Amino acid sequence: MANIVIVGMQWGDEGKGKVVDLLTEYADVVVRFQGGNNAGHTVVVGQETIILHLVPSGALYRGKTCVIGNGVVVDPQVLLQEIDELRKRGHFLDDRQLLVSEDAHLIMPYHRRIDVARERMKGEGKIGTTGRGIGPAYEDKVAREGIRFGDLGEEKVFREKLGAILPVKNHYLDTCLKDQGFDLEAVFQEYRGYGERLKKFAGNVSLFINGQIRQGRQILFEGAQGTHLDVDHGTYPFVTSSNTVSGGACTGAGVGPTRITEVIGVSKAYTTRVGGGPFPTELNDAVGEKIRERGREFGATTGRPRRCGWLDIPLLRDSIRLNGLTGIALTKMDVLGEFDTIRICTAYQHRGRRIEEVPSQVQVLKECEPVYEEHPGWKAELRNARSFRDLPRQARHYVRRIEELTGTRVTLVSVGEKREETILRRNPFQRRPRRS
Ligand code: IMP
């Protein structure tokens, strides 16, 4: 029996959706534990491409239960849209396939407006948020002013909570952000409609998951964003507002750490970032442009072009430590198939000093210069490789070098966007983990 957490090792968009989708075959329950619809997981099944923002990637399999944990912030409008869209395409037809924690906090219309208005006010210093209201919703949770998913189905409670908070938000929007407030009755009616359709999905997620574990079922915890966007451990303040590291699966789903058997980190064969913040290996040249083009590096949620650069080993080393990783899933290897040489950043240089780890001060990281080693490219199409042996020698060397530099085994290599375009060297649901 295995309960596995999958997290991003970089700044999000590592290809977690594909890895989760692939491993879901072996899981009974798939759980989202943090973030909200700022995430965008692209999954390609046959001729279909589906982008999910909130519903766990397991929705594409019949008979798997999808769970949205207490650590997630839920925009009910988006949740309903996704359910409707999936159903239109013949997925997710059974209501029992979805359970949403009563304790998950709701994203309200004022959260979205505050998010956008604040970014506008910050100008050049903006974080580059997705504008989905994620940060303001988490702020209300911690300030104990949030409204939760369980409140949606309780009209009286919902009205009382909304009545208490809305005047405060309207005042803030009006006086501080110079933006428009909301009408109480209109918001109430809108959310009452969502409540009617969604209350059947509300329940006690911790109780459910722990019960499933006791019965020997396998659980897959699906991380969103990436380790370096973690609110505590990321490149603060250019981060998201939740704990994206593996420990977040415990707090965000009500499961003790002793129940987790393995943690897999997903990393691209290079690095990307959307939004602001330091990025030592960023390439503002033709090579970066080529990676963006070949890798189709445009945000799944906002459509923004992603910043692209070479693989950054200090980022990965940090991720291995922060998440307790037992393996790496290396994605988008095929994208690097056109380069004569490929670089790996093995450390940083800061004011004459060599640094092996990511400095916690963002202003120090901004000044870091990457130290590169150069490897010959493989200049070949990899999409048909199905075992490690099928890869060209230079590509195998690249993977082995990453293993050497990180001290962690690469357990999966993705060579294309389709499910079958994958080399699964070890299935974490089927064999014992090797500690890194
Ligand atoms: P927020 O999560 O919308 O508040 O945005 C905060 C930062 O996290 C911004 O730099 C976003 O671009 C980034 N971010 C949030 N979600 C994702 C994601 O799923 N992939 C990549 N970056 C993300």
Side-chain angles (χ1 to χ4, degrees):
M1 191 212 56
N3 302 310
I4 293 167
V5 184
I6 294 182
V7 291
M9 297 178 74
Q10 298 162 313
W11 283 294
D13 310 315
E14 296 92 348
K16 294 180 293 296
K18 173 178 166 171
V19 176
V20 169
D21 174 64
L22 206 80
L23 295 178
T24 294
E25 190 180 337
Y26 308 92
D28 301 292
V29 180
V30 186
V31 185
R32 279 271 321 254
F33 55 88
Q34 48 72 225
N37 58 310
N38 48 349
H41 291 172
T42 309
V43 186
V44 179
V45 188
Q47 297 307 310
E48 262 189 311
T49 299
I50 298 183
I51 300 179
L52 295 169
H53 298 286
L54 191 54
V55 172
S57 305
L60 303 182
Y61 282 87
R62 265 198 196 138
K64 313 277 174 184
T65 311
C66 291
V67 174
I68 295 180
N70 55 280
V72 176
V73 283
V74 178
D75 188 325
Q77 189 185 6
V78 174
L79 182 57
L80 279 168
Q81 270 166 8
E82 283 192 7
I83 293 172
D84 289 346
E85 183 60 29
L86 282 162
R87 288 190 170 167
K88 244 195 334 210
R89 295 172 180 229
H91 302 289
F92 217 46
L93 299 173
D94 185 350
D95 280 348
R96 288 167 305 180
Q97 236 190 305
L98 177 67
L99 177 68
V100 184
S101 170
E102 299 155 326
D103 299 338
H105 280 248
L106 292 175
I107 296 182
M108 303 296 292
Y110 44 82
H111 292 139
R112 287 192 296 266
R113 194 166 290 171
I114 290 170
D115 193 0
V116 174
R118 271 201 206 138
E119 286 280 275
R120 195 171 53 229
M121 278 199 127
K122 281 187 180 147
E124 281 297 294
K126 70 179 182 188
I127 288 164
T129 72
T130 58
R132 303 294 194 265
I134 307 295
Y138 277 114
E139 280 170 43
D140 277 4
K141 169 178 174 169
V142 177
R144 291 153 296 183
E145 289 180 343
I147 307 180
R148 307 203 284 184
F149 195 80
D151 299 326
L152 257 188
E154 303 282 335
E155 263 185 44
K156 195 163 163 287
V157 177
F158 186 83
R159 189 188 270 279
E160 261 171 33
K161 291 193 174 178
L162 185 64
I165 193 71
L166 196 65
V168 181
K169 298 295 176 191
N170 281 347
H171 181 70
Y172 177 57
L173 274 162
D174 180 33
T175 54
C176 299
L177 300 175
K178 311 286 176 239
D179 212 322
Q180 243 188 325
F182 290 88
D183 176 62
L184 176 80
E185 201 50 37
V187 178
F188 174 71
Q189 290 305 338
E190 182 189 340
Y191 275 66
R192 197 167 70 111
Y194 299 147
E196 267 166 25
R197 286 195 61 199
L198 288 173
K199 67 179 170 202
K200 62 183 168 207
F201 298 113
N204 185 326
V205 156
S206 169
L207 205 59
F208 174 75
I209 300 175
N210 282 280
Q212 294 285 301
I213 293 174
R214 258 199 313 282
Q215 289 170 41
R217 304 255 156 73
Q218 311 214 89
I219 320 288
L220 196 162
F221 296 90
E222 171 183 1
Q225 290 84 49
T227 297
H228 297 279
L229 287 173
D230 183 284
V231 67
D232 285 287
H233 303 289
T235 45
Y236 192 91
F238 300 98
V239 293
T240 192
S241 300
S242 60
N243 282 117
T244 58
V245 293
S246 59
C250 297
T251 53
V255 176
T258 51
R259 298 292 175 267
I260 309 291
T261 52
E262 193 161 346
V263 186
I264 301 291
V266 185
S267 168
K268 275 177 189 159
Y270 49 93
T271 312
T272 65
R273 173 162 207 174
V274 278
F279 180 172
T281 63
E282 183 169 15
L283 294 165
N284 290 309
D285 59 9
V287 176
E289 192 52 52
K290 177 67 77 200
I291 294 177
R292 185 174 308 113
E293 193 187 297
R294 278 184 64 94
R296 285 195 257 146
E297 295 295 353
F298 297 88
T301 301
T302 58
R304 291 179 285 180
R306 295 179 183 141
R307 301 155 66 192
C308 299
W310 295 121
L311 190 68
D312 182 329
I313 295 292
L315 279 191
L316 302 195
R317 270 194 217 113
D318 258 35
S319 286
I320 289 160
R321 187 184 72 251
L322 291 164
N323 294 295
L325 293 189
T326 52
I328 296 174
L330 193 68
T331 61
K332 293 198 143 183
M333 271 290 280
D334 51 305
V335 173
L336 297 183
E338 222 181 83
F339 298 104
D340 293 326
T341 54
I342 294 171
R343 291 177 149 196
I344 300 180
C345 163
T346 54
Y348 305 136
Q349 194 76 23
H350 182 257
R351 299 188 184 173
R353 200 165 59 92
R354 188 182 160 94
I355 305 181
E356 305 269 341
E357 311 292 340
V358 183
S360 86
Q361 301 291 55
V362 90
Q363 57 277 20
V364 178
L365 185 60
K366 251 188 214 153
E367 292 170 3
C368 281
E369 291 293 329
V371 176
Y372 284 121
E373 58 179 36
E374 201 159 80
H375 297 270
W378 43 91
K379 303 217 65 176
E381 179 59 74
L382 304 184
R383 280 175 186 264
N384 296 322
R386 294 292 175 269
S387 77
F388 197 61
R389 277 190 315 272
D390 295 341
L391 289 174
R393 185 174 48 79
Q394 299 89 334
R396 291 199 306 268
H397 172 77
Y398 188 70
V399 173
R400 290 205 183 101
R401 186 65 186 138
I402 293 167
E403 294 185 320
E404 263 168 32
L405 288 165
T406 60
T408 305
R409 191 126 147 94
V410 172
T411 52
L412 181 154
V413 181
S414 172
V415 291
E417 56 195 7
K418 300 204 178 105
R419 267 183 194 163
E420 60 273 20
E421 291 169 339
T422 309
I423 299 167
L424 190 56
R425 301 174 79 195
R426 181 174 69 77
N427 183 338
F429 276 115
Q430 290 183 327
R431 278 198 240 150
R432 291 194 62 75
R434 260 173 59 158
R435 299 281 160 203
S436 59

